[in-house]
Amino acid sequence: MDIKFKTNKLRKQFEPREMVKKWGPQIARKLQTRMNEFKGAENLAEIATLPGPACHQLGQNRDNQFAVTLKEPYRLIFEPSDDPPALKKDGGYDWEHIKTILIIEVVDYHD
């Protein structure tokens, strides 16, 4: 999969040393694992079959976003970024055709 970042600042935070500074060693290790999973996958459907990431689409005000688990309660939030969007006829996302994602943030959205 291709990976993009919402901002250059966020992209820099995903460099290994910066990850540890920003989120600590445990979350940094999980982020590196998740990024390697994304890079090794052909599409989002492959990520969804892995037990660790617990990839899921969000709802409400995050309706077009997805999340994968890091260290509880933190999640890596991203959006499909294919052009044109990988949609099914019913309007839902076609996970097998999502091949580009846009990283939005690392957050505990449960608050």
Side-chain angles (χ1 to χ4, degrees), residues 6-92:
K6 184 175 181 179
T7 65
N8 283 332
K9 180 180 178 181
L10 183 62
R11 182 188 51 76
K12 289 178 184 176
Q13 290 172 343
F14 272 68
E15 294 172 4
R17 283 187 181 166
E18 296 300 316
M19 281 184 191
V20 174
K21 284 183 194 176
K22 177 77 176 167
W23 296 292
Q26 291 179 329
I27 293 177
R29 277 192 299 274
K30 284 291 186 179
L31 275 172
Q32 289 173 335
T33 298
R34 297 296 174 250
M35 295 304 286
N36 288 335
E37 290 166 345
F38 283 134
K39 290 174 186 174
E42 185 175 322
N43 57 54
L44 190 59
E46 289 182 19
I47 300 297
T49 63
L50 301 174
C55 185
H56 55 286
Q57 187 170 356
L58 303 175
Q60 298 175 357
N61 62 332
R62 293 183 177 269
D63 193 39
N64 292 319
Q65 297 179 346
F66 290 75
V68 291
T69 302
L70 299 171
K71 180 182 182 300
E72 290 294 340
Y74 291 92
R75 303 291 190 267
L76 173 61
I77 310 299
F78 61 95
E79 296 176 347
S81 185
D82 298 285
D83 188 23
L87 299 174
K88 296 179 183 177
K89 289 182 182 183
D90 67 5

